[in-house]
Amino acid sequence: MSIYDAAMRYKAAGVPLVILAGTEYGSGSSRDWAAKGTMLLGVRAVIAASFERIHRSNLVFMGVLPLEFTDGESAESLHLTGRETFDITGVSDGLVPRGNASVRAVAPDGTVTEFTAKVRIDTPDEITYYRHGGILPYVLRELVRDVSR
């Protein structure tokens, strides 16, 4: 099945997706469209070894959580295949720029892998955009708030 068809099935079932990636995730992408496509496919977080600078911020602007493996860790070193179910904690309360999140990955055979990832939301403004689900929902809420005054 194509990635799109699989993503649409997960989206229809209400299952958010996580991408596991290597270094410089987003390099060579079509900038904001790559982040829009990621969000439209139902991806809620990307866990990468590193991000291309602009793509990382575009993910935040689309409401997608960019996380980085800590130094020396990777999907390979943690034996992650992408078939796991992921729980990411530490981002709803107390989120600070460049803070940490706890990730718990459960493989189909029940094997549990836990690790800490760096939250690559780098500024207070980016935290605001992320909390609103992206920059567009934030701007729309601000416009509605201003009109209702």
Side-chain angles (χ1 to χ4, degrees):
M1 145 178 335
S2 72
I3 291 173
Y4 175 80
D5 289 337
M8 292 302 100
R9 283 192 184 181
Y10 281 117
K11 193 171 186 179
V15 177
L17 302 176
V18 173
I19 292 175
L20 299 175
T23 58
E24 290 299 309
Y25 177 76
S27 292
S29 67
S30 58
R31 302 291 186 193
D32 63 328
W33 277 106
K36 287 175 189 164
T38 300
M39 180 269 299
L40 291 170
L41 288 173
V43 173
R44 299 299 307 266
V46 175
I47 309 172
S50 65
F51 290 90
E52 189 277 332
R53 180 181 57 84
I54 293 171
H55 188 68
R56 182 209 57 80
S57 61
N58 285 339
L59 288 171
V60 175
F61 293 160
M62 292 296 110
V64 176
L65 181 64
L67 298 171
E68 275 185 2
F69 292 106
T70 56
D71 293 336
E73 289 186 335
S74 66
E76 293 81 16
S77 73
L78 294 169
H79 307 290
L80 300 173
T81 66
R83 298 184 191 280
E84 297 82 7
T85 300
F86 290 86
D87 290 312
I88 300 169
T89 57
V91 293
S92 20
D93 296 325
L95 184 61
V96 296
R98 293 191 169 244
N100 291 318
S102 297
V103 181
R104 183 175 192 267
V106 181
D109 68 1
T111 302
V112 175
T113 303
E114 295 180 329
F115 59 97
T116 300
K118 294 181 240 177
V119 176
R120 285 304 314 277
I121 297 177
D122 294 351
T123 69
D125 284 342
E126 287 182 347
I127 288 175
T128 300
Y129 302 146
Y130 176 74
R131 288 198 185 282
H132 281 268
I135 195 166
L136 183 58
Y138 170 75
V139 169
L140 291 174
R141 285 185 183 106
E142 289 297 301
L143 289 172
V144 168
R145 185 177 60 101
D146 290 345
V147 168
S148 64
R149 287 185 181 179

